[in-house]
Amino acid sequence: MAEQSSGGVQSVERVFDLLEAITEAGGSLTLSELAEQSQLPLPTIHRLLRTLVGRGYVRQLANRRYALGPRLIRLGDGASTQLGAYAKPQLTSLVAELAESANMAVREGDRVLYIAQVPSPHTMRMFTEVGRRAPMHNTGVGKAILSQLDDETVRGIMSRAGMPRATDKSIGDVDELLADLQRIRERGYAIDDNEQEIGVRCFAVPVPNAPTPTAISVSGPTSRVDEAFGLRAVPLLQSIAASVGQELRSSGAR
């Protein structure tokens, strides 16, 4: 008979607890760390990990740490594609209104993953390939995503991923980043102002109620994407983000 917990199958819930713990830790944990974070007995963790390793969803590294396995990639890609499909019509309407490129990205470990994009009609435009991974600390979507996390989690991500400066405008100090994230939380949007690429500015907002930390953005040359553009763009971004979040919630994608 299956074990039940809160209306669900307890063993399945525990599997997801382990996978989420490994994900939150940046991709790998020791057995003792898993026991500490999950509060599960060691024999139970051993049994679940043995099954996950055998199925390819977890792998044991040479240093005996446990990491996410390659079979999760296919599941993640499928989920990201579906999530991006929800936003594509909304991004299209955003580009029709603002005439600049629109993107949707999610947190993937310690980086952002772009899962949907609609390009600007302008010849000179920003293009970000769907499936591209980028740093979190110097991209608009990355900072919008980080603003949804607590400071301790942000510090952990930065300690693992580092904070390389793509330009002289990039934030390279975690305390400076945390101060910027607090401003983002207060005003409700993030700005990448020449931080990822000189000559490019981006406005981004978090998507509420998304199943994973998610953000949408518009970006373009600084000659067009200026302060006046931002005054028009941010309310539209926030409205569309709320609509996407509502659609995800209504669809049961949480």
Side-chain angles (χ1 to χ4, degrees), residues 71-150:
R71 288 198 69 181
L72 287 172
I73 295 173
R74 181 168 60 89
L75 297 181
D77 287 345
S80 295
T81 298
Q82 183 179 28
L83 186 56
Y86 278 110
K88 197 69 176 284
Q90 302 278 21
L91 296 182
T92 299
S93 68
L94 192 60
V95 174
E97 185 72 25
L98 297 172
E100 298 297 346
S101 299
N103 294 285
M104 184 177 190
V106 297
R107 178 189 175 188
E108 186 188 62
D110 296 335
R111 297 172 71 79
V112 294
L113 170 67
Y114 289 90
I115 61 172
Q117 204 242 17
V118 177
S120 164
H122 291 292
T123 302
M124 185 190 303
R125 63 190 180 191
M126 299 311 302
F127 181 81
T128 301
E129 184 179 0
V130 171
R132 177 194 169 212
R133 291 160 176 82
M136 303 185 83
H137 69 289
N138 60 12
T139 55
V141 288
K143 292 196 290 182
I145 286 171
L146 288 174
S147 73
Q148 302 172 66
L149 309 176
D150 60 71

Side-chain angles (χ1 to χ4, degrees), residues 33-52:
E33 288 169 339
L34 276 169
E36 180 181 356
Q37 293 199 23
S38 67
Q39 298 296 301
L40 294 175
L42 281 174
T44 299
I45 296 175
H46 268 299
R47 174 172 56 84
L48 296 175
L49 286 175
R50 187 166 60 248
T51 300
L52 288 169

